[in-house]
Amino acid sequence: MNVGIIGAGAVGKALAIGFLAKGNHVIVGTRDTAKLLPWVGQNPKAILGSFADAAKFGEVVVLAVKGTAATEALRAAAPTDLAGKPIIDATNPITDAPPVNGVLKYFTNLDESLMERLQRQFPKAHFVKAFNSVGSASMVNPQFAGGPPTMFICGNDEGAKKTVAGLVEGFGWQVADMGKAEAARAIEPLCMLWCIPGFLRNDWSHAFRMLS
Ligand SMILES: NC(=O)c1ccc[n+]([C@@H]2O[C@H](COP(=O)([O-])OP(=O)(O)OC[C@H]3O[C@@H](n4cnc5c(N)ncnc54)[C@H](OP(=O)(O)O)[C@@H]3O)[C@@H](O)[C@H]2O)c1
């Protein structure tokens, strides 16, 4: 499969390595390919491009940019290059304000998530929330004593969710489908919860698991 990754931070790179290891072809999109040359030196199968190149190339597209830049990054793509495709949305709506007692500040509220905004702004794309509430180091083949963790996903298009669920399971996760786009109002704040032990105790190695 061709995977286009919009964003070249810790998340874009971690998922690129994961998709490449599974035999996919990957373009990593950035505004500045020069700064990624050392990384490509270590991951020579990855191809660098612009955000638009990544969107055009991907049968599945990953959105992994700073939350405040998500709309702008997607606007760099041609609308036809997003239409009908699963867009794995790993972003979180984190403001530039510092955390308060370890609690991040969001620019959204509990009645509107970032993914819902993006879905409204790019109605033909099929957004699926995933990978937003775990650290980049554990996104692919997570290893925890408690067993495989749970990836909470949501999105309006059932076909796109099925595709993304298969990819997430292939990375070693249990998938919990939380329904339509509105569920991102609950999934995005899981990142706030996930980060608290990190900011308070420098503990960043954990993940959520749904028990029943
Ligand atoms: N870090 C984690 O462990 C983690 C875990 C789960 C979810 N997330 C979420 O995943 C997303 C990516 O996080 P990250 O840690 O990989 O890195 P990040 O620093 O949040 O984002 C890096 C990417 O954002 C792009 N970007 C930044 N400002 C921009 C602007 N004004 N216009 C367009 N693009 C801009 C950068 O583009 P250039 O490449 O051109 O500089 C880069 O590709 C975030 O929304 C974050 O909340 C992060």
Side-chain angles (χ1 to χ4, degrees):
M1 183 181 276
N2 289 348
V3 181
I5 301 185
I6 298 177
V11 175
K13 288 177 192 157
L15 292 178
I17 290 168
F19 281 117
L20 286 168
K22 296 265 171 211
N24 300 287
H25 303 285
V26 175
I27 285 190
V28 178
T30 174
R31 295 165 300 170
D32 179 9
T33 51
K35 77 174 178 201
L36 284 178
L37 290 178
W39 180 79
V40 172
Q42 293 166 350
N43 299 279
K45 289 191 178 159
I47 300 167
L48 295 179
S50 63
F51 292 155
D53 294 333
K56 189 178 179 64
F57 178 77
E59 296 162 76
V60 167
V61 174
V62 177
L63 180 63
V65 295
K66 203 174 163 191
T68 49
T71 298
E72 191 182 334
L74 288 170
R75 284 206 178 119
T80 46
D81 290 334
L82 300 174
K85 294 182 183 175
I87 315 288
I88 300 176
D89 173 21
T91 63
N92 288 303
I94 300 170
T95 67
D96 289 329
V100 177
N101 289 329
V103 181
L104 286 166
K105 203 161 167 48
Y106 274 17
F107 58 77
T108 51
N109 62 53
L110 289 176
D111 293 323
E112 190 202 35
S113 62
L114 175 57
M115 195 182 82
E116 288 171 274
R117 271 192 208 178
L118 298 174
Q119 186 61 78
R120 251 199 319 280
Q121 290 166 339
F122 304 92
K124 293 190 172 160
H126 299 320
F127 289 90
V128 180
K129 197 90 214 170
F131 294 107
N132 72 297
S133 35
V134 67
S136 58
S138 299
M139 288 181 174
V140 179
N141 301 327
Q143 301 295 325
F144 292 101
T150 304
M151 181 76 72
F152 296 95
I153 71 167
C154 69
N156 288 341
D157 187 87
E158 296 304 317
K161 260 194 309 195
K162 198 171 168 207
T163 300
V164 174
L167 295 169
V168 172
E169 282 166 359
F171 281 176
W173 290 80
Q174 287 179 347
V175 171
D177 181 354
M178 294 290 111
K180 301 293 184 190
E182 289 77 10
R185 298 173 197 179
I187 297 174
E188 288 174 2
L190 289 179
C191 162
M192 298 169 70
L193 187 63
W194 185 88
C195 286
I196 289 173
F199 289 125
L200 295 186
R201 298 185 288 278
N202 201 26
D203 175 2
W204 301 98
S205 49
H206 44 267
F208 297 117
R209 181 171 161 99
M210 179 91 109
L211 301 176
S212 55

